[in-house]
Amino acid sequence: MRSLTLGVLLALVSAAAPAGALTSSSGPVAATAAPTAVVAQEPTRAGVPRLVVTKRVTGLSNPWDVKPIGAGRLLITERDTARLFVAGKGGKRRVAFPSDSVWVAGETGLMSLEVDPGFSKNRRFYTCSGGFLAGGGHDVRINAWTLNKALTRATLVKKLLGGLPTTTGRHGGCRLLIARNGALVVGTGDAAVGTNPRDLTSLGGKTLRLDRRTGAPWPANPYISADNRRQRYVHTYGHRNVQGLAQRRDGTLWSVEHGSYRDDEVNRLVDGGDYGWNPVPGYDESVPMTDQSLPGKQYGAAWRSGDPTLATSGASFVYGTKWGALDGALAVAALKATRVLFLTFDARGKLVRKDVPKILERFGRLRSVTLAPNGDLLVTTDTDSGGGAVLRVRPAS
């Protein structure tokens, strides 16, 4: 007989628009609906805190990424509409942004965001998106922008890197992360072209590193002296579709990628590492995600989903004593499986614990996970037609 009964407390949290709420040139922006807080009351594993989930921003359509920009405000991308929003305590505002310059097809559109560490002074942020080529056709590209002080308009600074391959929009990637050494790390998809992941002159199926100011290849890249300029950007290769990037406190970089019909992966990245995806001839998705029969050394995944896949996506390491046993875990969003996995790895990168809070299985497809300045998590829900949201997840006090 169970000693504890499962239960869930649902509570409405009142939210009146405060003074200084966001406004636009056409008048005040409608405040988001009063957020709904859901407190997990079910029994948890030893040391795992109960979680409170609040809908921080609502009324979004396929929100892809979210990043804090200071003063409690958030910058948000929508993939399929290619719209950019700023959200504050009083609501959200659409930012003037050239959405019509973004190529949208399939899994590609306005995707990942990263905010410059010097944003308060230089106003810079970065996007990864589909784009139109001058001679016809499409690519995936990384752009640098500035956001004006009024938070109303984004201005293109420059295209830092283009030519990331795309076909139908499938496997467009594309995650951004500014590492603590200042490098802009980019996770890319293979564009569903079988030769891309192991072709070091292709930017697809890779993690890349570049200078976020100039767009030049990062000087410590393993192939920085290569004759082919694209190869100079390559950090790791042999990936299928990198959807998440995170950096642990020890400085190690980690990626999250979609598997085929099996084996979503979390990988600990090693400079110049081959992660073993080689779906040839053609685009043969029956091959292993990490094919150890290939020439050279292939790095096995630190975690894999097995069969079937969960469609793992964005990720962030979680820190703070308030997280209890989850302190230091990698929080990984899942789209198809509609959950967040908290994966704890030891210093060598071996998985030692997995926690999947039930409370986070009730919000549908989850896309991105961002650590807020106060240690809470921000999670985007991949829902269209205005049903998408940014969730704030915190341990109950």
Side-chain angles (χ1 to χ4, degrees), residues 59-65 76-85 92-111 128-130 132 367 382-388:
L60 299 168
S61 298
N62 299 113
W64 211 97
D65 210 351
I76 304 163
T77 54
E78 290 183 341
R79 185 190 67 188
D80 295 349
T81 67
R83 296 186 299 186
L84 182 70
F85 288 92
K92 65 181 186 296
R93 173 201 295 131
R94 184 177 174 183
V95 176
F97 178 85
S99 300
D100 57 359
S101 71
V102 176
W103 178 65
V104 177
E107 300 165 359
T108 298
L110 183 58
M111 297 175 286
C128 193
S129 69
F132 296 94
R367 169 72 68 179
D382 184 41
T383 310
D384 60 12
S385 304

Side-chain angles (χ1 to χ4, degrees), residues 5-29:
T5 302
L6 297 182
V8 174
L9 173 65
L10 298 176
L12 290 177
V13 179
S14 60
L22 290 173
T23 59
S24 70
S25 57
S26 60
V29 175

Side-chain angles (χ1 to χ4, degrees), residues 30 39 96 99 123 137 145 150 159 193 204-205 209 219 221 234-235 254 268 293 301 317 336 368 372:
V39 184
S99 300
R123 316 297 298 172
W145 307 83
K159 180 173 70 174
V193 174
R209 291 190 303 191
N221 282 348
V234 174
H235 174 229
W254 299 66
R268 184 179 180 182
S293 71
F317 283 98
K336 183 173 67 176
S368 291

Side-chain angles (χ1 to χ4, degrees), residues 228-306:
N228 185 283
R229 187 172 186 273
R230 289 185 177 181
Q231 187 173 346
R232 299 173 200 165
Y233 285 97
V234 174
H235 174 229
T236 64
Y237 64 101
H239 298 283
R240 183 174 181 270
N241 191 21
V242 178
Q243 290 281 300
L245 289 170
Q247 187 170 30
R248 198 159 67 167
R249 275 183 174 167
D250 62 4
T252 53
L253 294 171
W254 299 66
S255 71
V256 180
E257 65 184 284
H258 283 174
S260 53
Y261 66 93
R262 61 179 178 182
D263 291 339
D264 295 323
E265 291 185 347
V266 171
N267 287 299
R268 184 179 180 182
L269 301 179
V270 176
D271 287 3
D274 174 7
Y275 289 83
W277 175 242
N278 187 44
V280 294
Y283 196 69
D284 180 5
E285 296 193 79
S286 70
V287 304
M289 277 292 289
T290 305
D291 187 347
Q292 299 286 356
S293 71
L294 298 172
K297 177 181 174 61
Q298 286 73 47
Y299 287 87
W303 170 88
R304 60 174 58 90
S305 67

Side-chain angles (χ1 to χ4, degrees), residues 316-360:
S316 179
F317 283 98
V318 174
Y319 292 110
T321 57
K322 67 182 182 180
W323 287 97
L326 302 180
D327 184 11
L330 181 67
V332 181
L335 293 157
K336 183 173 67 176
T338 65
R339 65 191 61 181
V340 175
L341 295 82
F342 289 82
L343 305 174
T344 302
F345 301 93
D346 67 15
R348 296 173 298 171
K350 181 181 178 181
L351 181 69
V352 295
R353 179 174 179 137
K354 181 177 77 171
D355 294 277
V356 187
K358 291 290 185 183
I359 196 64
L360 292 169

